[in-house]
Amino acid sequence: MDGRLARLWQVVVGVTLVSAAVVVVVASTDPSWPVPGMSTLAALAAVFAAGFALAAILRVLAGDHQHGVGHVLAVVGWLLLLVGELFESEAATVAGVAVVLAAGSYLVWLAVD
């Protein structure tokens, strides 16, 4: 990954993590936020799905397809988690958690390997 795309990827990941932290802090002080009827977990899943989608695009554009696959897997997991929370489907929520954990494990394995 060249310097410019690497820096942009770091910014995307950083903004995603900060946005998720803001969601947690604001939701803990105002239970009706971000959207009435939407759980904090659903809002977090939406933030992470968007952030990991951008990260996946940047990784693939940089030619780092292995990390791109890991990020796409994370997006699928966060979207499953979002759907599970929005439609109160325990199976989708559990599947989303499992896929996110698998994606995280894969990305850690890539970093260590």
Side-chain angles (χ1 to χ4, degrees), residues 36-58:
M38 183 178 196
S39 71
T40 302
L41 186 56
L44 284 173
V47 167
F48 279 122
F52 274 99
L54 289 174
I57 290 167
L58 291 172

Side-chain angles (χ1 to χ4, degrees), residues 2 9 11 15 27 42 48 74 105-106:
D2 70 355
W9 177 83
V11 168
V15 167
F48 279 122
S105 298
Y106 177 69

Side-chain angles (χ1 to χ4, degrees), residues 41-53 71-87 89 91-97 99-100:
L41 186 56
L44 284 173
V47 167
F48 279 122
F52 274 99
H71 290 313
V72 168
L73 188 59
V75 170
V76 169
W78 286 112
L79 288 176
L80 275 170
L81 192 57
L82 176 62
V83 167
E85 282 296 303
L86 290 178
F87 296 107
S89 168
T93 301
V94 170
V97 170
V99 173
V100 168

